[in-house]
Amino acid sequence: MESSSIDPSLPGVRQLQSWIREATPLHIQLIDGTRLGGSLHWQDPEFLALQPEPNTPVILLGRKAIAVIRSLA
Amino acid sequence: MESSSIDPSLPGVRQLQSWIREATPLHIQLIDGTRLGGSLHWQDPEFLALQPEPNTPVILLGRKAIAVIRSLA
Amino acid sequence: MESSSIDPSLPGVRQLQSWIREATPLHIQLIDGTRLGGSLHWQDPEFLALQPEPNTPVILLGRKAIAVIRSLA
Amino acid sequence: MESSSIDPSLPGVRQLQSWIREATPLHIQLIDGTRLGGSLHWQDPEFLALQPEPNTPVILLGRKAIAVIRSLA
Amino acid sequence: MESSSIDPSLPGVRQLQSWIREATPLHIQLIDGTRLGGSLHWQDPEFLALQPEPNTPVILLGRKAIAVIRSLA
Amino acid sequence: MESSSIDPSLPGVRQLQSWIREATPLHIQLIDGTRLGGSLHWQDPEFLALQPEPNTPVILLGRKAIAVIRSLA
């Protein structure tokens, strides 16, 4: 619960927002080696919400657990 | 013990509150690969309290150890 | 050494205090997979002090290394 | 989302900026053992943007997941 | 480099100071599973300085890497 | 990017500065088990710069990834 807002001037936040806006298919790797696919629904300072398929419930990914995010587009 | 409150305007906090309110069955994966199931009882800035079965004692999960939370509903 | 006090209004801190007060037998899992048993003697912002048996020296557990705490009561 | 700016007076930030400016080929190792190659496109407080090949989409690397960065130049 | 001082009122800091003062033999386990023995020479907010044998150079242990500290006394 | 300066009054910072000044050969172990040797060139709040051999490019080591630093002198 570091801080309660994200800074839209940061390139990382903007890159994530762009992927959210365009529902870009992504490959995400966590620091424990877990690999997940889907598109991002929202971001906040603690989590990214990943939607594996359209109209399925989101999965919360701990932001500190993120190692790599790749666009598949 | 980062900060002593959680920000209810964050989508992640709201998503967790919604799962707490509705006792949604969840699958939680920690960064060490541990997998647990149950519903959430409360959240605070350091822990999530998971109840594996109704009327059993809660299990504390270190919030920084959370990698993935999925709804099973 | 994040901050130098713990917030007694947090449910996680209160749950830990309750387990400390009642010397509840606990099972603690760290993020590296280490599992330990005993009861808690005190908590501070950086460590939990675990007593494996009554009248034995405490073991310090890094609070950030905590993944799961379960009551065995 | 620690803080929302990076401090250009730090030698680490300057070293990274120098590698970004010169598109130095790098080898990056994450704390989970993942190894990646490419050049850096930008840095912000949360991520490094790695470009494996010129004119390919960037890959976001969680800054906290970085263990080692070596220049291959 | 969280903060630049440690709080002597914390029980964990006091326990460590007591072990430092009395050169108590300790067993320390890091979150990657590394196990080390020796006595502590000093603590600061980022590191513990471990002396494996008297009159040998200290070894710095990242405080965030500490999982378990046990007294062998 | 915790804070933008290091506190020279800390014994850990001073020990690192002394090793930097004297180009002491060191053995460094990261929390993922990686082991590296060399001498330190500079430190900042986020990274240590390790030089495996004189006049080779520095390697950046994430300060949070440091588990153990031993002098080989």
Side-chain angles (χ1 to χ4, degrees), chain C residues 2 4 6 8 10-11 15-16 22-23 25 29 32 37-38 41 43-44 46 52 55 63 66 72:
Chain C
E2 314 299 281
S4 61
I6 54 180
L10 294 177
Q15 177 65 74
L16 290 169
E22 297 171 18
Q29 179 183 333
D32 70 346
H41 204 58
Q43 62 174 322
D44 80 6
E46 193 179 15
N55 304 313
R63 208 162 172 133
I66 303 288
L72 300 177

Side-chain angles (χ1 to χ4, degrees), chain D residues 5 9-11 14-15 19 22 25 29-30 32-33 35 40-41 44 46 49-50 54 57 61-62 66 72-73:
Chain D
S5 62
S9 73
L10 296 176
R14 288 206 311 267
Q15 178 66 75
W19 284 336
E22 297 171 17
Q29 180 182 333
L30 306 184
D32 71 346
R35 283 154 168 80
L40 290 177
H41 204 57
D44 79 9
E46 192 178 15
L50 182 76
L61 307 181
I66 303 289
L72 300 177

Side-chain angles (χ1 to χ4, degrees), chain C residues 20-71:
Chain C
I20 290 168
R21 208 167 42 235
E22 297 171 18
T24 308
L26 299 172
H27 178 88
I28 298 183
Q29 179 183 333
L30 305 184
I31 54 175
D32 70 346
T34 299
R35 283 151 168 81
L36 302 119
S39 62
L40 290 177
H41 204 58
W42 47 255
Q43 62 174 322
D44 80 6
E46 193 179 15
F47 294 110
L48 302 182
L50 182 78
Q51 212 162 22
E53 305 283 342
N55 304 313
T56 56
V58 299
I59 297 175
L60 299 194
L61 307 181
R63 208 162 172 133
K64 287 177 185 298
I66 303 288
V68 184
I69 309 179
R70 297 169 197 265
S71 156

Side-chain angles (χ1 to χ4, degrees), chain E residues 34-52:
Chain E
T34 299
R35 285 153 168 80
L36 302 118
S39 62
L40 290 177
H41 204 58
W42 48 256
Q43 61 175 321
D44 79 7
E46 192 178 16
F47 294 109
L48 302 182
L50 182 77
Q51 212 162 21

